[in-house]
Amino acid sequence: MALSRGLRCCQRVFSWIPVLIITSVVLWSYYAYVFELCLFTLTNTLEKVAYLLAFHICFVMFSWTYWKSIFTPPASPCKKFQLSYSDKQRYEMEERPDAQKQILVEIAKKLPIFTRAQSGAIRFCDRCQVLKPDRCHHCSVCETCVLKMDHHCPWVNNCVGFSNYKFFLLFLSYSMLYCVFIAATVFQYFLKFWVGDLPNGPAKFHVLFLMFVALMFFVSLMFLFGYHCWLVAKNRSTLEAFSAPVFVSGPDRNGFNVGIRRNLLQVFGENRRLWFIPVFTSEGNGHYFALKNRSSESHNPLLANEDMWEESDDGSEEGSLVEDHDPSVTIEMEEE
């Protein structure tokens, strides 16, 4: 037990290494740009002020989005998807597998769950003792089920999912802007140092490496950002892009694709003035998502208005939510 705790503690410490690497590079870039380039190399005062003002705007937005991506905790399923104390007791005391499955089927009837496991069974996490909402997956690193999980990113040491996916996209976009701005403004001085028009000194080393590092990060970020833009347009997560979500009718990669406009609104919200600000504006609560084929929702009029089954402030359930699921559907004990 002590060894296991020690290994887990070491794992948590080492998981911060990628974040520390990014932070170190960014802090160095700040010193190199502000001090070595703007203060020690530039001679035009107006150019200094313009460069410093624009740089700090990019730097603040980059730092803000990176902070939000790292420290926004991943959202987990609410209490309605967890086994209550009585249901858990009844489930654990029941020795027959078929009877255990039936207990979980009864619980699932009250929830808006449309996706299934590969076998066609309703998805259940044995570790968290929770029925998985649509697009929810268990993260073995965070040791919890994450709503609309996209992936676990080591560079932010956090799960990217419903609660911080917008922040992650903004982090990628402002990272690219940061790199482009540095490369564009450093380029002429990079050439001057390269051909010897400016005297050798500490600034030469910093300016040359600023150019190379900015271009290197920009190229890698460009592909990653482009991929996630494609995912947003298709309304898919990274996990769904590799393994199509399974519905009652079978696997469908476009099951949640409701059109580019609505797909964008699900991530960024209705208020377009807040799209580029790292504040949470995503639609819904992460437990329910509109489907491309809405005929499956019509079987249960309660699901036409997801607010009818949301939790109240005190965590109590509001109203009776009975869905006509097929009683023949089984529960699969799966761990992802």
Side-chain angles (χ1 to χ4, degrees):
M1 182 65 71
L3 179 61
S4 177
R5 289 180 179 177
L7 291 176
R8 188 173 300 176
C9 182
C10 291
Q11 182 183 12
R12 290 177 179 176
V13 172
F14 286 122
S15 65
W16 285 101
I17 291 179
V19 176
L20 293 176
I21 292 174
I22 295 296
T23 303
S24 300
V25 172
V26 172
L27 291 177
W28 165 78
S29 70
Y30 182 90
Y31 166 79
Y33 191 91
V34 172
F35 292 92
E36 296 294 345
L37 177 67
C38 293
L39 298 183
F40 302 154
T41 303
L42 299 184
T43 57
N44 187 304
T45 303
L46 182 61
E47 189 178 20
K48 279 186 180 182
V49 173
Y51 279 15
L52 287 173
L53 180 62
F55 173 81
H56 279 91
I57 293 175
C58 295
F59 180 80
V60 168
M61 296 307 298
F62 163 81
S63 302
W64 190 4
T65 54
Y66 192 40
W67 176 276
K68 296 285 284 187
S69 299
I70 295 173
F71 294 106
T72 300
S76 300
C78 67
K79 293 181 179 179
K80 289 184 175 63
F81 290 83
Q82 298 174 357
L83 295 181
S84 65
Y85 179 78
S86 58
D87 289 333
K88 188 175 181 180
Q89 289 289 102
R90 188 159 58 101
Y91 176 80
E92 292 177 348
M93 292 178 63
E94 182 59 64
E95 297 180 355
R96 296 171 299 170
D98 291 341
Q100 289 180 327
K101 293 176 182 179
Q102 187 57 38
I103 293 173
L104 297 178
V105 168
E106 294 174 1
I107 302 171
K109 290 180 180 179
K110 304 176 183 179
L111 303 171
I113 297 176
F114 295 102
T115 54
R116 301 290 185 263
Q118 292 294 330
S119 63
I122 294 175
R123 304 185 306 143
F124 179 76
C125 180
D126 190 39
R127 292 185 178 182
C128 300
Q129 293 291 292
V130 64
L131 293 175
K132 293 183 180 179
D134 293 345
R135 316 185 81 173
C136 175
H137 298 273
H138 184 89
C139 176
S140 58
V141 179
C142 297
E143 298 181 343
T144 186
C145 284
V146 179
L147 295 178
K148 195 188 176 184
M149 180 177 173
D150 188 87
H151 68 288
H152 185 92
C153 180
W155 298 108
V156 299
N157 192 27
N158 196 7
C159 257
V160 177
F162 176 75
S163 63
N164 64 347
Y165 189 58
K166 175 190 173 183
F167 306 147
F168 180 75
L169 290 175
L170 291 179
F171 160 64
L172 294 180
S173 61
Y174 284 118
S175 298
M176 289 179 58
L177 180 62
Y178 185 73
C179 293
V180 168
F181 176 80
I182 288 178
T185 54
V186 164
F187 183 68
Q188 60 175 316
Y189 299 97
F190 169 83
L191 293 178
K192 290 180 180 180
F193 276 118
W194 190 266
V195 298
D197 289 346
L198 290 175
N200 291 332
K204 179 178 181 179
F205 165 82
H206 291 287
V207 169
L208 293 179
F209 270 84
L210 264 179
M211 189 69 188
F212 285 122
V213 172
L215 290 177
M216 180 184 67
F217 274 92
F218 172 75
V219 171
S220 59
L221 287 167
M222 179 179 62
F223 287 105
L224 183 59
F225 180 70
Y227 176 66
H228 277 278
C229 287
W230 177 78
L231 290 177
V232 171
K234 296 292 185 180
N235 205 340
R236 298 176 192 169
S237 66
T238 300
L239 294 176
E240 292 165 352
F242 285 95
S243 179
V246 179
F247 299 86
V248 176
S249 57
D252 185 1
R253 293 188 184 276
N254 295 312
F256 297 105
N257 188 353
V258 290
I260 294 180
R261 181 180 177 277
R262 290 186 63 192
N263 294 342
L264 284 173
L265 293 180
Q266 280 190 16
V267 176
F268 293 98
E270 293 280 354
N271 191 345
R272 297 189 179 185
R273 291 177 296 181
L274 298 177
W275 277 17
F276 300 101
I277 306 298
V279 294
F280 184 81
T281 57
S282 301
E283 292 183 338
N285 57 15
H287 295 82
Y288 165 79
F289 298 91
L291 304 177
K292 179 186 68 173
N293 182 9
R294 299 187 65 88
S295 60
S296 57
E297 299 178 41
S298 63
H299 294 298
N300 185 0
L302 288 172
L303 297 183
N305 184 1
E306 57 188 290
D307 293 334
M308 296 184 68
W309 61 270
E310 289 181 347
E311 284 189 310
S312 60
D313 293 338
D314 61 356
S316 61
E317 296 189 7
E318 298 177 354
S320 175
L321 303 172
V322 180
E323 181 179 0
D324 296 329
H325 284 306
D326 185 351
S328 63
V329 176
T330 60
I331 302 291
E332 179 182 61
M333 311 289 285
E334 65 167 354
E335 298 179 7
E336 299 183 22

